[in-house]
Amino acid sequence: MNSLTIRRPDDWHLHLRDGAMMRGVLPETTRHFGRAIVMPNLVPPVVTGREAAEYRDRILSAKPKGSKFRPLMTLYLTEETEVRDLRAAAEIGLITAVKLYPAGATTNSASGVRDMGRVRRVLDNMAQIGLPLLVHGEVTDPEVDIFDREAAFIERVLDPIRRETPGLRVVMEHVTTRDAVDYVREGGPDLGATITAHHLVINRNHILAGGIRPHYYCLPVAKREGHRRALVEAATSGEASFFLGTDSAPHTDAAKLQPFGCAGCFTAPNAISTVAEVFDRAGALDRLEAFASLNGPAFYGLEPNADTITLAKGDAVPYPAQVETGDGPVTVFDPGMDLHWRVT
């Protein structure tokens, strides 16, 4: 197969940042994706409906002329989140989901939740109205090894939440382990998971073997090769619980290349090519549309995009090493292999 036409994909987990950075990276997403769930972890975070509306308007004003891209807004869950404000934002279609960051788990997560008991009423209301909870699935206990924090989160936090709040729709974002894949498969129709392009192709050796590679450092951190293979198997399975969320997370090189460098891989320019390459090598191109374009809308109760994109296979596609933004250059994720699938 040298050509493939699919419904236009959506990105169910995206960081756009704000200001000059957002204006620099947004065209890389709008080129290929119809919609995207936009993360609310700005500084300060997007915690109210008014702030979500203002952020949405800034995104819409920055998108390229003629683009039909639609940002799907989220609220950042805090222990002070007001149920009335959340419900009002959901009822008018302003927000699509609410994001749970355990405090300190990742970039700009300091305002996250420390005591789940303090958000119980919010979660109950979300279950009532069918508003999904998106979870960054890692515990922050310093005694838990960083490679075990996803599995610990499932046991300590996620499973209790789901047992105590029946009917709550949950997306485990950017899953990285076989543990998470197995849990999602057993979780029923109210549980889904996003898988990133970069976690489909890198394991922890790519970060650490032969020298530290900061542009592969992300959170959750890439795991052992066996876990990566489990992610590929899940993504290419066609199962409705798994869908594409790039977690494309731009940071300037100045922010990445320092002793305490930021976590995140900027994959927006080449995510679709990377995923297509993975599916091609797995002999699963016939299931690419489900993963990239159909499963996510179905979970969120939305129609797939009406328009399509066509991918063509040929010589290796030359992607830029960096994207220039008003805040400085951002390095594009290097998948470590030639990408032969181009969006035409």
Side-chain angles (χ1 to χ4, degrees):
M1 185 182 296
N2 294 315
S3 180
L4 178 66
T5 298
I6 63 173
R7 295 286 190 104
R8 182 172 297 277
D10 297 305
D11 187 346
W12 298 100
H13 184 137
L14 175 67
H15 296 272
L16 286 175
R17 314 304 185 202
D18 209 351
M21 175 65 80
M22 184 261 285
R23 291 189 294 273
V25 302
L26 179 59
E28 302 300 329
T29 288
T30 62
R31 187 173 295 120
H32 298 155
F33 294 95
R35 296 168 290 201
I37 289 278
V38 180
M39 292 296 103
N41 59 331
L42 304 182
V43 180
V46 178
V47 298
T48 68
R50 176 181 59 81
E51 292 165 350
E54 292 172 349
Y55 187 28
R56 176 203 58 196
D57 291 346
R58 294 197 297 275
I59 296 170
L60 291 174
S61 67
K63 71 179 184 177
K65 185 177 181 180
S67 170
K68 297 180 181 180
F69 174 76
R70 180 185 169 198
L72 304 177
M73 308 311 295
T74 61
L75 293 186
Y76 187 118
L77 182 63
T78 75
E79 294 175 8
E80 289 75 42
T81 293
E82 296 183 2
V83 169
R84 180 185 301 178
D85 180 70
L86 180 148
R87 290 187 71 123
E91 286 168 1
I92 63 173
L94 173 60
I95 61 171
T96 302
V98 173
K99 180 63 181 277
L100 167 63
Y101 289 104
T106 189
T107 302
N108 301 341
S109 63
S111 300
V113 176
R114 299 181 186 276
D115 180 358
M116 291 304 302
R118 298 189 63 178
V119 296
R120 179 62 50 212
R121 182 165 174 262
V122 174
L123 299 181
D124 288 342
N125 274 268
M126 290 174 59
Q128 290 173 15
I129 63 176
L131 186 64
L133 177 70
L134 316 181
V135 299
H136 181 107
E138 293 185 289
V139 299
T140 56
D141 184 346
E143 295 186 4
V144 177
D145 187 282
I146 192 169
F147 293 104
D148 298 329
R149 291 181 179 181
E150 186 169 274
F153 180 87
I154 294 171
E155 178 182 353
R156 296 184 184 183
V157 182
L158 182 55
D159 200 53
I161 285 175
R162 297 183 63 240
R163 292 180 185 277
E164 294 166 13
T165 317
L168 180 66
R169 296 179 63 74
V170 177
V171 178
M172 286 193 72
E173 298 199 298
H174 45 47
V175 293
T176 60
T177 61
R178 183 180 299 277
D179 308 75
V181 168
D182 291 344
Y183 184 75
V184 170
R185 281 180 162 149
E186 297 169 358
D190 288 334
L191 182 62
T194 59
I195 301 176
T196 75
H198 55 281
H199 284 122
L200 289 174
V201 298
I202 66 170
N203 60 38
R204 63 187 188 180
N205 280 355
H206 291 87
I207 307 171
L208 300 170
I212 295 175
R213 296 174 177 84
H215 292 296
Y216 287 154
Y217 171 59
C218 57
L219 288 173
V221 69
K223 306 300 195 298
R224 290 180 181 271
E225 173 64 7
H227 292 298
R228 186 196 69 82
R229 291 180 181 179
L231 298 180
V232 171
E233 190 276 328
T236 60
S237 69
E239 295 173 48
S241 297
F242 302 104
F243 35 95
L244 176 62
T246 69
D247 192 21
S248 182
H251 296 284
T252 63
D253 286 356
K256 290 285 288 182
L257 305 178
Q258 58 177 315
F260 292 93
C262 295
C265 297
F266 178 53
T267 60
N270 59 5
I272 293 299
S273 287
T274 300
V275 172
E277 192 75 27
V278 170
F279 274 65
D280 191 6
R281 295 187 180 200
L285 282 172
D286 59 321
R287 298 173 190 153
L288 176 62
E289 185 177 48
F291 179 69
S293 311
L294 303 179
N295 293 349
F299 184 89
Y300 280 91
L302 301 172
E303 291 295 322
N305 292 308
D307 61 331
T308 62
I309 65 169
T310 297
L311 297 101
K313 185 177 183 180
D315 294 337
V317 184
Y319 285 97
Q322 295 177 325
V323 168
E324 295 294 334
T325 76
D327 287 341
V330 177
T331 291
V332 176
F333 175 72
D334 176 4
M337 61 182 177
D338 286 342
L339 300 179
H340 297 94
W341 288 92
R342 177 196 304 270
V343 180
T344 62

